Amino acid sequence: QPQLVESGGGLVQPGGSLRLSCAASGFSLDDYAIGWFRQAPGKEREGVSCISFSGGTTSYADSVKGRFTISRDNAKKTVYLQMNSLKPEDTAVYYCARRDYFCSPDVKDFGPWGQGTQVTVSS
């Protein structure tokens, strides 16, 4: 019943921008921290960004600091990831997942995984 659905991925040129959306249903989004993760072919899944239940704290991987911004709108039951100055190494499937209230540095602390949305950065 509870689910998170990612959208907004696509093909973009280096230096371009995309905004990903994570739409929640079947649960109260304002009780959960939401993290964004990505996985490239042949590589381990890695954390990208996270936002606490209230939006009061955010965190970013060093590789995306200054380029990506996470935000949430609990009334719309949606979390966003604004991605600017995209690089080819950002190419991956992007996922969102939940954890009770606060963010964690451990990807294993987050909930079940969906299908994600593909982001491809190429000229």
Side-chain angles (χ1 to χ4, degrees):
Q1 184 179 18
Q3 63 178 266
L4 295 167
V5 178
E6 304 92 342
S7 64
L11 175 64
V12 65
Q13 294 183 340
S17 298
L18 287 171
R19 188 174 79 157
L20 306 184
S21 296
C22 175
S25 62
F27 68 98
S28 297
L29 182 63
D30 57 6
D31 290 337
Y32 293 90
I34 299 295
W36 282 99
F37 308 83
R38 66 188 182 187
Q39 187 168 21
K43 298 184 67 177
E44 297 291 327
R45 185 171 56 207
E46 64 175 349
V48 175
S49 185
C50 189
I51 187 166
S52 66
F53 74 108
S54 66
T57 58
T58 59
S59 61
Y60 299 91
D62 288 342
S63 60
V64 307
K65 283 182 178 178
R67 300 189 297 120
F68 291 10
T69 303
I70 191 169
S71 62
R72 66 190 297 157
D73 186 336
N74 288 342
K76 295 182 178 179
K77 302 198 73 173
T78 303
V79 176
Y80 305 97
L81 184 68
Q82 178 67 46
M83 306 187 296
N84 299 326
S85 302
L86 283 162
K87 305 175 180 180
E89 50 263 46
D90 295 318
T91 296
V93 178
Y94 283 71
Y95 303 88
C96 60
R98 72 182 193 180
R99 184 183 188 271
D100 290 2
Y101 295 109
F102 300 105
C103 294
S104 168
D106 192 348
V107 66
K108 295 183 176 62
D109 288 342
F110 289 81
W113 305 98
Q115 293 185 333
T117 185
Q118 176 72 48
V119 172
T120 302
V121 184
S122 176
S123 60

